[in-house]
Amino acid sequence: MKYKAYVGTYTTSLSKGIYSFDYQDKKISNVKLFANCQNPKYLTFVNDNIAAVCEHTKNAGICIFNPYGKEIDRLTYENKASCFIAYNKTYLYTVNYHEGTFNVISTIPSLKLVAQVKIAPFAGCHQVIFYHHLFLIPCLCIDKIIVIDDNYKIIAEILLPKGSGPRHAVLSYDERYLYVVGELNNKLYVIDLKYMKIVNQLNLL
């Protein structure tokens, strides 16, 4: 079976933005420039369209591209581009590594910033994890996972060891546990979300 895939990039003299390619039988082919934009380092689907965090001449934000790579909507609301974007129930969610923010953007009828939670400058926010009515935000530079409720208020913090650098995480199938990779100390942490604390850890190297 052939799949169509898309990848974001940090733009350079060689890389120009978002690329598409075909994937079949463990082989990549038909690589094409899908959309010319600056530093689209994370992507997500919004129905049949693609949303990307990206930078402009003096600011940054989100661009939406149709299936043919044409920009159909844009929103600028930050100085440097976020490093993660996800879509859920008509909203886009981003986190900004440098500015330390969690951002909520409505997609209907057009892009609009509806909430911004300031966690801490240079918090190293790296991901948004949907957990029931909560949002879990791993923050690499402050060694915490920030817990935000559906009113967009910080209600708790899950502390990780100093210097661990929590970056990305996944939920267990029953959503009881969160598995978190510490980028800076090469460890995997198991967090019991019922008690919001670490119950196990494993060296990855």
Side-chain angles (χ1 to χ4, degrees):
M1 183 178 294
K2 182 185 292 186
Y3 298 92
K4 174 70 72 175
Y6 301 85
V7 61
T9 64
Y10 285 93
T11 49
T12 65
S13 59
L14 298 177
S15 170
K16 302 300 181 184
I18 301 170
Y19 289 83
S20 66
F21 60 89
D22 295 331
Y23 182 77
Q24 185 177 23
D25 299 329
K26 300 182 181 181
K27 294 181 180 179
I28 291 173
S29 62
N30 197 29
V31 179
K32 295 180 180 179
L33 179 63
F34 173 76
N36 193 324
C37 51
Q38 185 176 353
N39 290 334
K41 46 193 170 179
Y42 218 96
L43 314 174
T44 191
F45 282 105
V46 178
N47 302 319
D48 292 330
N49 301 318
I50 289 179
V53 296
C54 52
E55 295 177 355
H56 310 297
T57 304
K58 296 182 179 180
N59 47 31
I62 294 173
C63 287
I64 304 287
F65 300 93
N66 71 12
Y68 304 100
K70 180 181 178 181
E71 183 180 314
I72 57 175
D73 203 356
R74 175 187 292 200
L75 176 69
T76 56
Y77 58 93
E78 51 194 355
N79 295 316
K80 292 185 177 181
S82 292
C83 67
F84 182 88
I85 186 170
Y87 177 70
N88 189 29
K89 297 179 180 178
T90 75
Y91 288 94
L92 286 164
Y93 302 88
T94 69
V95 287
N96 193 298
Y97 181 98
H98 304 281
E99 298 176 11
T101 57
F102 165 67
N103 307 289
V104 183
I105 298 98
S106 174
T107 61
I108 297 176
S110 58
L111 294 177
K112 180 181 178 181
L113 182 67
V114 297
Q116 184 175 81
V117 180
K118 296 183 178 181
I119 296 171
F122 298 101
C125 308
H126 248 298
Q127 186 185 15
V128 180
I129 300 157
F130 304 113
Y131 174 62
H132 302 304
H133 65 287
L134 303 175
F135 305 94
L136 309 178
I137 316 295
C139 296
L140 184 147
C141 299
I142 58 175
D143 300 316
K144 295 177 182 178
I145 295 174
I146 302 298
V147 183
I148 296 173
D149 67 11
D150 52 5
N151 291 314
Y152 310 128
K153 304 293 183 183
I154 297 175
I155 61 169
E157 298 177 345
I158 303 173
L159 301 180
L160 281 85
K162 185 176 180 179
S164 56
R167 176 160 179 167
H168 283 132
V170 294
L171 292 164
S172 61
Y173 285 114
D174 60 2
E175 298 193 342
R176 171 67 186 271
Y177 299 101
L178 185 70
Y179 301 97
V180 186
V181 172
E183 178 182 328
L184 303 184
N185 67 359
N186 303 303
K187 290 188 177 183
L188 177 69
Y189 294 94
V190 183
I191 294 173
D192 188 327
L193 290 173
K194 182 178 180 179
Y195 302 104
M196 296 289 184
K197 68 177 185 179
I198 297 171
V199 294
N200 201 356
Q201 63 184 38
L202 176 71
N203 290 325
L204 295 178
L205 295 179

